Each structure stands twice: as structure tokens, then as C-alpha cells.
Amino acid sequence: MRYFIKFSYNGTNYHGWQYQPNALSVQETLSKALSVVLSSDINLMGAGRTDTGVHAKEMFAHFDIDNLIDTHSCIHKLNSYLPKDISIHDIILVHDDAHARFDAQKRTYEYHINTFKDVFLENLSWYYHKELDINSMNHASKILLQHYDFECFSKVNTDVNTFNCKIFEAYWKKENTNLIFTISADRFLRNMVRAIVGTLINVGLHKITVEDFNTIIENKNRSDAGFSVPAHGLYLTKIEYDFL
């Protein structure tokens, strides 16, 4: 039997989603909890990876087990067993070939910035007090939808076959003293969202123009793009599948 598990986590205490040899990961923590609760050796395949300190409001993974499980009871037991920074939302029986990573049609991230120092947002939003031109940043964000190759925003020396991504939406909105950048695509490169946000901030500071932003994408050179913003402001917020 193959099951999808839907969950969320605060990434502050973890070295990302994926197994690490000498560091705590979400994948290891959740796999161990499932193995205990289900009395079976469970291996999880995640929908993707998040870096150290990145959060997930909605994440999926799949696992296989020989027998049907009582999903309601399993959710309750897992949430009682897991640490307070990981929460299970649902466990869903799916067809045998369903794949959490390869069947994902669309992924959405948010990046959160607080422009006023808020002690309750520590590790949950990036505090950045300089004034930003949000209109210019939104103008530049629309340019992302006109391109497919985003090598300029990818971590260097990464092992991928293509730098092509289809971006469906990208925009900024202001909520009181907070700024939120939302971006959706069929896939993302390593460090891509954080590099995009850093480059858009340079647009907002008028260090580069909207036209410069377009040229940076066309040049495909990471050194031309802006800095990578801190991980703790980044959230994976939604993953979409045809069968869920």
C-alpha cells in the first residue's frame, strides 16, 4: 500500500528536509516516528527538499507499507509522538505508482519580511528595515513569467539536467509592516527563491533597474544576480497534484 502524508514544520531546528549524516533533518525525524507508530521500517520520499532553517506550511511525502492502516488513529499517534515543530495534517491512500516528488504539478513558496522589529517573528521572518519600492519589485517580478531558464538564480555546481522552470505567478504584497513575496512554479532550483528575492530587493533599493533584472536572467550568470536572503523567511506553502 502506498500512502501520501501531508504535514508542516518549523525548520528552525533542522538542517533541512533531507537526511544528513551528522545533523538532524525533518526526513529522519518523521521517518523514525512513522516506523515506531506503525511498527514497520518506513522510508519516506519527499516532494522536494528544503534547506536548513526553511519552513513548510504544506509538505508531502509518500511511503509504502504492506497493510492498510487506520489513518485517523495514525495521525493522532504521530502528532503525540513527534516534536512540537512538526505537525501531521493528513494521511491518504493513493495508487501504487503515485510519487510525491515526480507527480507534483505546482509548488508555491512565500518569503516573509518584517520591516519593523518584531520579537515574535524571530526565526519566522527576515527583519529588513530599509525602504523598498514595491511597485518596481512587482514590475520586475512579472518578468519572471516571460522566461524559462533560471540558471542565474541557481546554486552553482548543482547537479541538474536543466535550469528550465515554468513560473506561474510571482508577486509582492504588503500587510501592515510585513512584506510577502509569493511565487509558484512547476519546479524550483536549489537556492532559487532566495536568490530571486535578493535580486528583487536590489530592484526595490534602486541599485538595479527593472531592465537590469531582465538582463541578469538572460545572462544566466549567478554572479550577476543579487544576494541570497536568509533561509528563515522562506516557506513552502503549497504543493498541488492532479489526484489530490
Side-chain angles (χ1 to χ4, degrees):
M1 305 292 176
R2 176 158 292 186
Y3 286 88
F4 267 39
I5 183 167
K6 178 182 177 182
F7 56 101
S8 58
Y9 55 86
N10 180 322
T12 302
N13 296 321
Y14 299 96
H15 288 257
W17 157 256
Q18 195 164 6
Y19 279 114
Q20 302 288 333
N22 299 303
L24 184 65
S25 70
V26 179
Q27 186 178 28
E28 177 186 1
T29 304
L30 184 50
S31 294
K32 286 182 176 179
L34 274 165
S35 298
V36 170
V37 169
L38 296 176
S39 302
S40 181
D41 188 17
I42 300 296
N43 294 309
L44 281 172
M45 169 59 69
R49 64 175 66 176
T50 56
D51 291 335
T52 299
V54 175
H55 316 291
K57 293 183 178 181
E58 180 176 280
M59 176 64 155
F60 283 92
H62 75 251
F63 65 91
D64 296 327
I65 192 168
D66 292 335
N67 53 290
L68 284 169
I69 62 176
D70 181 341
T71 56
H72 181 77
S73 175
C74 185
I75 292 168
H76 176 73
K77 290 177 180 178
L78 280 171
N79 280 327
S80 298
Y81 184 88
L82 284 163
K84 60 186 178 181
D85 48 17
I86 300 177
S87 175
I88 308 304
H89 300 282
D90 205 358
I91 299 176
I92 308 151
L93 180 65
V94 294
H95 59 85
D96 292 347
D97 295 328
H99 199 286
R101 178 184 173 190
F102 297 133
D103 288 344
Q105 300 295 307
K106 183 178 179 182
R107 297 168 169 87
T108 301
Y109 280 89
E110 289 179 358
Y111 194 85
H112 290 237
I113 297 174
N114 56 301
T115 60
F116 182 83
K117 187 175 182 180
D118 187 337
V119 296
F120 298 106
L121 292 178
E122 184 69 19
N123 294 322
L124 297 174
S125 179
W126 181 41
Y127 172 48
Y128 190 79
H129 63 86
K130 293 182 180 180
E131 187 174 350
L132 297 170
D133 181 349
I134 302 301
N135 288 333
S136 293
M137 292 163 68
N138 266 324
H139 189 185
S141 296
K142 292 178 182 178
I143 292 174
L144 292 165
L145 279 63
Q146 302 171 14
H147 293 272
Y148 291 96
D149 188 324
F150 296 100
E151 184 174 0
C152 67
F153 298 127
S154 174
K155 194 168 185 176
V156 295
N157 300 322
T158 187
D159 183 22
V160 294
N161 295 322
T162 176
F163 294 100
N164 287 355
C165 308
K166 179 175 176 55
I167 295 180
F168 302 109
E169 61 179 356
Y171 61 90
W172 290 87
K173 65 178 179 180
K174 186 173 183 179
E175 295 183 350
N176 299 317
T177 59
N178 299 325
L179 303 175
I180 302 173
F181 176 65
T182 301
I183 184 168
S184 299
D186 59 347
R187 65 189 288 264
F188 288 92
L189 307 168
R190 289 195 66 188
N191 204 56
M192 178 174 166
V193 179
R194 291 163 62 193
I196 287 175
V197 172
T199 311
L200 287 171
I201 284 175
N202 284 340
V203 174
L205 293 171
H206 296 157
K207 289 185 176 180
I208 61 173
T209 65
V210 173
E211 291 73 21
D212 291 336
F213 184 80
N214 186 69
T215 301
I216 287 169
I217 299 174
E218 291 177 341
N219 287 348
K220 305 179 183 181
N221 190 332
R222 178 65 185 92
S223 63
D224 291 343
F227 65 104
S228 179
V229 291
H232 63 268
L234 183 60
Y235 293 76
L236 174 61
T237 60
K238 192 172 183 61
I239 304 175
E240 298 179 39
Y241 299 90
D242 287 342
F243 48 84
L244 292 183

